[in-house]
Amino acid sequence: MEVGTFFSSNSLSPPVRPSRRYFRSFPQPSIRFSLDLQKKNKNGSYKGPKPKRDWLGDWVSRNDVTVRSLPIYVGGVSLLAVLFNRAVSGIAPVADAGSSQSRADLLALGLAVTNVLTGLVWLSIRPKSISVVNPQGVECQDVCSDLPTSLVYELLWLWDSLSAVTCCRSLVVVYEGSCLLQTGVAAESAFDEGLAVSVDATALMEGSLYKGAMRSGTQSYLANLSLYPGRSQLPFLPGNTQAVILQPLGDKGIAIIGGNMVRGFTTSDQAWITLIAEKLDATLSTNLAMSVQEAVES
C-alpha cells in the first residue's frame, strides 16, 4: 500500500533520471524489501521476517549426480537383499513357486528393477543450462520528438531502471497508436546496414499479442520467446531475444520488454514492472492531456 501511494503521489512530478550505479546497489528490487526495512528498531536490529534457507534443495543442487544415481543404488541393494533372502530361506525356487513368499519376492524384484530403471532414466536426462546471450542487433535510442522534456526524462528513467536491475536489453513503448520510445538493442534493418528496424505501431496493434495483452489488461510474460508462434509480430526485437514481457499501460498503450535470458525475469521483477507501468501510464496520460489542452488554447 505504501509503495502504491508513493507512485501515485509522484506521478505528476518530473522524474529524476537515476544513475546506473544507484540501481546496481539493489540487484533484485523487491516491494517486501522496502517494507521490511521499516521494521528495524532504534538499535538497528532487524525484527521482520527472515528468509528461510532450503537446506534440502541446496544439498540436492550440490550433489546432483549422486541424487540422480540414488535409485540405482537402492534398486541394486534391494535386488541383492531379495536374492540373499531367497537363498537362505530354504524355499525351493521351483517347487514352492506358488507360495506367498515367492509372490512377495517377485513383487520386491519388480520394485527393485523399477528403481534401477528410474535411476538410469534420471542419469540420461540432463536439464538444459540457461545462459545469458548477447542480443544480435544494433544499439538504438529513438524518442518521439513531440514529447515534452519531462516525459522524455520519464521514459529514459524507465529504461535506465530496467536495464540496470533486470535482464532487460530492449524496450519499446507504444502509447495511443504512436511509438514513444525504442531503445536498447534492436533488430538490424535488412535494407539499411547499421540501422535499427523501426516499430510499426499500426501493425503491432493489429497483432494477436497486442490484442491479447490489452484484452486481459494484465502483464503477459513470454518466458521462452522461441516457443511462441507470435514471435513474428515483434520484428523490431533482436532475433535471439530470449524472453519478453508485454506490459499494458492502462488501456491506451503497451510496454514491450525484451530480455537476454530464458525465464530471466523473476517474480519480483514482474511485480516491480507492473508498478512502474502504472506510474508511467499516469504520467503519460496527464502530460499528453496537458499538451493537447495547450495546443487547443494556443
Side-chain angles (χ1 to χ4, degrees), residues 79-218:
L79 184 62
L80 293 177
V82 171
L83 296 178
F84 177 77
N85 179 69
R86 186 73 178 185
V88 300
S89 61
I91 302 176
V94 177
D96 298 329
S99 63
S100 59
Q101 180 64 39
S102 298
R103 291 193 294 270
D105 291 342
L106 183 62
L107 180 61
L109 286 174
L111 295 176
V113 172
T114 301
N115 275 330
V116 173
L117 295 178
T118 300
L120 294 175
V121 171
W122 283 9
L123 288 177
S124 63
I125 298 177
R126 294 290 181 179
K128 184 179 179 181
S129 60
I130 300 176
S131 58
V132 178
V133 301
N134 293 322
Q136 298 175 356
V138 294
E139 293 282 347
C140 72
Q141 189 173 83
D142 297 333
V143 184
C144 182
S145 58
D146 299 332
L147 297 178
T149 304
S150 60
L151 198 52
V152 173
Y153 284 156
E154 179 84 6
L155 293 172
L156 295 180
W157 172 84
L158 173 65
W159 163 245
D160 286 344
S161 303
L162 292 174
S163 61
V165 300
T166 69
C167 66
C168 172
R169 294 299 175 265
S170 305
L171 174 63
V172 172
V173 177
V174 176
Y175 199 80
E176 293 186 349
S178 301
C179 180
L180 304 184
L181 175 68
Q182 181 185 10
T183 185
V185 183
E188 185 176 4
S189 175
F191 305 100
D192 299 321
E193 185 178 356
L195 296 181
V197 175
S198 59
V199 178
D200 188 348
T202 303
L204 174 64
M205 295 172 65
E206 293 176 353
S208 60
L209 290 180
Y210 178 88
K211 291 181 179 180
M214 299 305 295
R215 188 183 304 112
S216 64
T218 57

Side-chain angles (χ1 to χ4, degrees), residues 182-293:
Q182 181 185 10
T183 185
V185 183
E188 185 176 4
S189 175
F191 305 100
D192 299 321
E193 185 178 356
L195 296 181
V197 175
S198 59
V199 178
D200 188 348
T202 303
L204 174 64
M205 295 172 65
E206 293 176 353
S208 60
L209 290 180
Y210 178 88
K211 291 181 179 180
M214 299 305 295
R215 188 183 304 112
S216 64
T218 57
Q219 183 184 99
S220 179
Y221 181 28
L222 310 181
N224 191 350
L225 186 60
S226 62
L227 301 179
Y228 293 88
R231 169 70 181 85
S232 59
Q233 301 176 23
L234 307 173
F236 44 84
L237 293 179
N240 61 342
T241 300
Q242 301 297 298
V244 166
I245 286 182
L246 303 175
Q247 177 62 56
L249 302 175
D251 57 352
K252 299 180 181 180
I254 193 172
I256 302 176
I257 305 168
N260 62 348
M261 185 170 60
V262 175
R263 294 186 293 276
F265 294 100
T266 64
T267 304
S268 299
D269 293 340
Q270 298 173 48
W272 183 62
I273 289 173
T274 301
L275 292 176
I276 289 184
E278 294 176 359
K279 178 181 185 298
L280 180 61
D281 176 41
T283 304
L284 287 173
S285 59
T286 302
N287 281 269
L288 294 180
M290 292 176 60
S291 300
V292 172
Q293 183 177 1

